[in-house]
Amino acid sequence: MLTLNTLLQKASRLDKLGIHLIRIGVAIIFIWIGALKFVPYEADSITPFVANSPVMSFFYEHPHEYKEHLTHEGQLDPVKREWQVSNNTYAFSDGLGTVEILIGLLVLSYGFSRRLGMVGSVLAFLTPIVTLSFLFTTPEAWVSNLGDADYGFPYLSGGGRLVLKDVLMLAGAVMMIADSARQLLQAPVKR
């Protein structure tokens, strides 16, 4: 018969499984979201974030004109699509998607290369810092003042809620870095 103490002892060892699940989860998110960056609807949806970022807006040709060219997910507006092409939205998104897929693959590479896994972990840590900065730079991260009393801080819009999930990505990356560092320190020195 299992006792509470036995169950707690078993649960106390779940961190060994947990770190692997964190790596797989982080890799899935980077690879899947990275692959979606090659699809126009996803590229269009990041336009407000990139256009308002002091670190990234230079990638766009016309970052200050983005508001009148936004579309909803699944909406095809050929005029707005053409503007996104001339804005460099899709080329930037393709590049970002490539980087995100690479980070996901580096995170997964931990299974055969602790050093590459460490690189992936560090990149997985740095990426959410950039993403979380969008909460401060992107007006669309907050509910707009459209008449309701609940708008602005602390009322996150759909985009803001999407960004906020990166707090967990950041925490998971810290765990991956710590585990990778521990494994690298325990590895025998090659001569």
Side-chain angles (χ1 to χ4, degrees):
M1 179 171 179
L2 289 175
T3 66
L4 178 60
N5 200 29
T6 304
L7 289 172
L8 290 173
Q9 286 176 357
K10 289 182 184 295
S12 72
R13 292 187 293 275
L14 286 175
D15 57 335
K16 291 172 180 51
L17 172 63
I19 189 64
H20 297 299
L21 293 175
I22 288 171
R23 276 195 177 87
I24 291 168
V26 166
I28 287 170
I29 290 169
F30 272 104
I31 292 169
W32 196 333
I33 301 291
L36 287 176
K37 293 289 190 290
F38 291 89
V39 181
Y41 91 90
E42 173 67 12
D44 292 353
S45 71
I46 66 170
T47 301
F49 300 108
V50 177
N52 286 291
S53 170
V55 179
M56 293 187 200
S57 61
F58 73 90
F59 285 110
Y60 285 172
E61 293 295 323
H62 317 285
H64 302 295
E65 300 172 15
Y66 76 92
K67 286 187 180 188
E68 59 260 23
H69 303 284
L70 290 178
T71 58
H72 298 287
E73 292 177 354
Q75 176 186 6
L76 175 60
D77 182 324
V79 173
K80 290 179 180 180
R81 175 82 40 100
E82 187 54 41
W83 181 88
Q84 294 285 13
V85 170
S86 71
N87 186 48
N88 201 35
T89 300
Y90 302 129
F92 171 76
S93 190
D94 290 353
L96 181 59
T98 301
V99 169
E100 289 177 343
I101 290 169
L102 179 62
I103 292 170
L105 293 173
L106 284 168
V107 166
L108 288 178
S109 74
Y110 176 85
F112 63 85
S113 172
R114 300 292 190 245
R115 290 177 190 216
L116 287 176
M118 174 62 103
V119 170
S121 297
V122 169
L123 291 172
F125 173 80
L126 295 174
T127 302
I129 291 173
V130 173
T131 305
L132 287 167
S133 75
F134 295 150
L135 289 175
F136 304 103
T137 61
T138 308
E140 287 83 0
W142 306 98
V143 172
S144 298
N145 182 0
L146 300 175
D148 195 347
D150 302 323
Y151 64 90
F153 180 85
Y155 305 105
L156 292 166
S157 68
R161 292 189 301 271
L162 180 69
V163 168
L164 192 62
K165 59 104 177 96
D166 274 36
V167 171
L168 280 174
M169 291 280 286
L170 189 72
V174 169
M175 296 300 298
M176 294 184 326
I177 290 169
D179 185 64
S180 293
R182 206 173 13 260
Q183 295 297 324
L184 287 168
L185 288 169
Q186 293 172 357
V189 178
K190 296 179 183 177
R191 296 190 189 262

